[in-house]
Amino acid sequence: MEDPNFNNNIFFEKEIIVLKFLFNTIIPESKSVLMPSAAILINSIDLFSIEFVNLIRKSLSIIDLITMNQVEKKWASFLDSERTDIINEFKRKNVRLYNELSLKAVSHYYCNEVVLKSIGIKSIPLFPEGNSVLEGDLLLLENVFLRNSFYRV
Protein backbone atom coordinates (compact mmCIF):
# COMPACT_ATOMS: atom_id res chain seq x y z
CA MET A 1 0.00 0.00 0.00
CA GLU A 2 1.61 3.25 -1.14
CA ASP A 3 1.35 6.48 0.79
CA PRO A 4 1.12 9.50 -1.56
CA ASN A 5 3.11 11.61 0.93
CA PHE A 6 5.89 9.04 1.11
CA ASN A 7 9.25 10.21 -0.27
CA ASN A 8 12.96 9.73 0.24
CA ASN A 9 13.28 12.76 2.55
CA ILE A 10 11.85 10.78 5.44
CA PHE A 11 15.05 10.51 7.48
CA PHE A 12 17.22 13.26 8.89
CA GLU A 13 20.90 13.36 7.99
CA LYS A 14 21.87 12.13 11.49
CA GLU A 15 19.48 9.19 11.12
CA ILE A 16 21.00 8.32 7.74
CA ILE A 17 24.47 8.16 9.34
CA VAL A 18 23.22 5.79 12.05
CA LEU A 19 21.23 3.77 9.53
CA LYS A 20 24.30 3.30 7.31
CA PHE A 21 26.25 1.93 10.25
CA LEU A 22 23.33 -0.31 11.26
CA PHE A 23 22.95 -1.65 7.71
CA ASN A 24 26.73 -2.22 7.53
CA THR A 25 26.38 -4.31 10.66
CA ILE A 26 23.62 -6.42 9.12
CA ILE A 27 25.48 -7.03 5.82
CA PRO A 28 29.07 -5.79 5.80
CA GLU A 29 30.94 -4.99 2.61
CA SER A 30 32.95 -7.82 1.08
CA LYS A 31 35.99 -6.57 -0.79
CA SER A 32 37.11 -10.08 -1.76
CA VAL A 33 34.01 -10.67 -3.92
CA LEU A 34 33.23 -6.99 -4.58
CA MET A 35 29.88 -7.01 -2.81
CA PRO A 36 28.58 -3.75 -1.35
CA SER A 37 27.33 -3.53 2.21
CA ALA A 38 23.64 -3.16 2.99
CA ALA A 39 24.30 0.59 3.31
CA ILE A 40 23.68 0.66 -0.45
CA LEU A 41 19.99 0.50 0.47
CA ILE A 42 20.18 4.14 1.57
CA ASN A 43 20.14 5.03 -2.15
CA SER A 44 16.73 3.39 -2.56
CA ILE A 45 14.85 4.61 0.51
CA ASP A 46 11.97 5.66 -1.73
CA LEU A 47 11.39 1.95 -2.52
CA PHE A 48 11.01 0.97 1.14
CA SER A 49 7.57 -0.08 2.28
CA ILE A 50 5.93 1.99 4.98
CA GLU A 51 6.21 -1.05 7.26
CA PHE A 52 9.99 -1.17 6.72
CA VAL A 53 10.31 2.59 7.30
CA ASN A 54 8.37 2.29 10.57
CA LEU A 55 10.61 -0.59 11.63
CA ILE A 56 13.67 1.54 10.87
CA ARG A 57 12.23 4.51 12.77
CA LYS A 58 11.55 2.35 15.83
CA SER A 59 15.07 0.91 15.69
CA LEU A 60 16.66 4.34 15.30
CA SER A 61 14.71 5.75 18.24
CA ILE A 62 15.84 2.87 20.48
CA ILE A 63 19.45 3.31 19.31
CA ASP A 64 19.13 7.03 20.05
CA LEU A 65 17.93 6.24 23.59
CA ILE A 66 20.82 3.85 24.14
CA THR A 67 23.23 6.51 22.87
CA MET A 68 21.81 9.18 25.21
CA ASN A 69 21.94 6.79 28.18
CA GLN A 70 25.62 6.08 27.63
CA VAL A 71 27.03 9.56 27.13
CA GLU A 72 25.83 12.96 26.03
CA LYS A 73 27.70 12.67 22.73
CA LYS A 74 26.59 12.90 19.15
CA TRP A 75 26.71 9.76 17.01
CA ALA A 76 29.28 11.36 14.70
CA SER A 77 31.75 11.78 17.58
CA PHE A 78 31.69 8.07 18.57
CA LEU A 79 34.51 5.78 17.50
CA ASP A 80 33.53 2.79 15.37
CA SER A 81 34.12 0.49 18.36
CA GLU A 82 31.70 2.57 20.47
CA ARG A 83 29.13 2.50 17.66
CA THR A 84 29.49 -1.27 17.43
CA ASP A 85 28.92 -1.54 21.19
CA ILE A 86 25.74 0.53 20.88
CA ILE A 87 24.44 -1.62 18.01
CA ASN A 88 25.30 -4.79 19.96
CA GLU A 89 23.39 -3.49 22.96
CA PHE A 90 20.44 -2.72 20.68
CA LYS A 91 20.61 -6.29 19.31
CA ARG A 92 20.78 -7.83 22.81
CA LYS A 93 17.86 -5.83 24.19
CA ASN A 94 15.67 -6.00 21.06
CA VAL A 95 16.28 -9.41 19.53
CA ARG A 96 12.93 -9.68 17.73
CA LEU A 97 13.05 -6.15 16.39
CA TYR A 98 16.63 -6.60 15.17
CA ASN A 99 15.77 -9.92 13.52
CA GLU A 100 12.76 -8.43 11.78
CA LEU A 101 14.80 -5.43 10.64
CA SER A 102 17.58 -7.71 9.41
CA LEU A 103 15.15 -9.89 7.47
CA LYS A 104 13.63 -6.87 5.73
CA ALA A 105 17.07 -5.40 5.02
CA VAL A 106 18.31 -8.68 3.53
CA SER A 107 15.24 -9.03 1.32
CA HIS A 108 15.65 -5.43 0.06
CA TYR A 109 19.39 -5.97 -0.35
CA TYR A 110 18.94 -8.93 -2.69
CA CYS A 111 16.46 -6.94 -4.80
CA ASN A 112 18.98 -4.13 -5.30
CA GLU A 113 20.17 -3.83 -8.90
CA VAL A 114 23.84 -3.30 -7.96
CA VAL A 115 23.84 -6.37 -5.71
CA LEU A 116 22.15 -8.55 -8.31
CA LYS A 117 24.72 -7.51 -10.91
CA SER A 118 27.53 -8.18 -8.41
CA ILE A 119 26.37 -11.78 -7.93
CA GLY A 120 25.87 -12.27 -11.65
CA ILE A 121 22.08 -12.31 -11.88
CA LYS A 122 21.17 -11.32 -15.42
CA SER A 123 17.46 -10.62 -15.04
CA ILE A 124 16.47 -8.04 -12.47
CA PRO A 125 13.05 -8.16 -10.78
CA LEU A 126 10.71 -5.28 -11.35
CA PHE A 127 11.09 -4.13 -7.74
CA PRO A 128 8.91 -3.53 -5.77
CA GLU A 129 5.82 -4.40 -7.85
CA GLY A 130 7.14 -7.61 -9.39
CA ASN A 131 5.99 -8.88 -12.74
CA SER A 132 2.35 -7.92 -12.94
CA VAL A 133 -0.25 -9.24 -15.35
CA LEU A 134 -3.28 -7.13 -16.09
CA GLU A 135 -6.53 -8.69 -14.97
CA GLY A 136 -8.25 -10.41 -17.85
CA ASP A 137 -5.10 -10.52 -20.02
CA LEU A 138 -5.53 -14.06 -21.28
CA LEU A 139 -3.37 -13.59 -24.36
CA LEU A 140 -0.49 -14.96 -22.30
CA LEU A 141 -2.27 -18.31 -22.34
CA GLU A 142 -2.94 -18.31 -26.09
CA ASN A 143 -0.16 -20.83 -26.85
CA VAL A 144 -1.52 -23.17 -24.19
CA PHE A 145 -5.03 -23.01 -25.64
CA LEU A 146 -3.81 -23.56 -29.22
CA ARG A 147 -1.63 -26.54 -28.32
CA ASN A 148 -3.23 -29.96 -28.72
CA SER A 149 -3.91 -31.96 -25.60
CA PHE A 150 -1.28 -34.47 -24.67
CA TYR A 151 -1.07 -37.01 -21.92
CA ARG A 152 1.86 -38.67 -20.23
CA VAL A 153 1.92 -42.42 -20.55
Side-chain angles (χ1 to χ4, degrees), residues 19-153:
L19 189 56
K20 280 183 182 179
F21 194 86
L22 179 59
F23 280 169
N24 280 334
T25 304
I26 294 170
I27 302 176
E29 178 182 19
S30 172
K31 292 185 177 161
S32 62
V33 289
L34 301 174
M35 290 292 292
S37 74
I40 196 168
L41 297 176
I42 300 297
N43 299 332
S44 57
I45 287 177
D46 54 329
L47 298 177
F48 292 176
S49 66
I50 294 172
E51 178 187 351
F52 189 32
V53 169
N54 289 336
L55 199 59
I56 292 169
R57 284 187 193 280
K58 185 174 183 179
S59 300
L60 290 175
S61 68
I62 292 170
I63 290 169
D64 194 42
L65 285 173
I66 292 170
T67 304
M68 286 190 307
N69 287 341
Q70 287 194 0
V71 184
E72 285 294 324
K73 278 169 77 172
K74 292 185 177 181
W75 182 265
S77 63
F78 283 114
L79 300 172
D80 278 352
S81 61
E82 294 172 310
R83 291 176 178 182
T84 301
D85 291 342
I86 291 168
I87 298 297
N88 286 336
E89 184 177 341
F90 165 68
K91 288 193 305 192
R92 272 194 315 274
K93 292 182 176 179
N94 304 278
V95 174
R96 285 186 181 170
L97 178 63
Y98 182 78
N99 286 340
E100 190 176 348
L101 178 71
S102 296
L103 182 63
K104 294 268 186 209
V106 167
S107 66
H108 278 24
Y109 179 78
Y110 284 105
C111 288
N112 185 285
E113 198 171 316
V114 174
V115 173
L116 291 175
K117 285 180 182 175
S118 295
I119 58 177
I121 302 294
K122 302 249 187 294
S123 64
I124 296 172
L126 305 169
F127 183 77
E129 292 84 23
N131 191 9
S132 60
V133 177
L134 298 174
E135 187 176 334
D137 186 6
L138 298 178
L139 290 177
L140 294 172
L141 299 173
E142 184 176 12
N143 292 334
V144 176
F145 290 130
L146 295 175
R147 185 181 65 198
N148 290 332
S149 298
F150 65 92
Y151 299 96
R152 293 173 101 179
V153 183

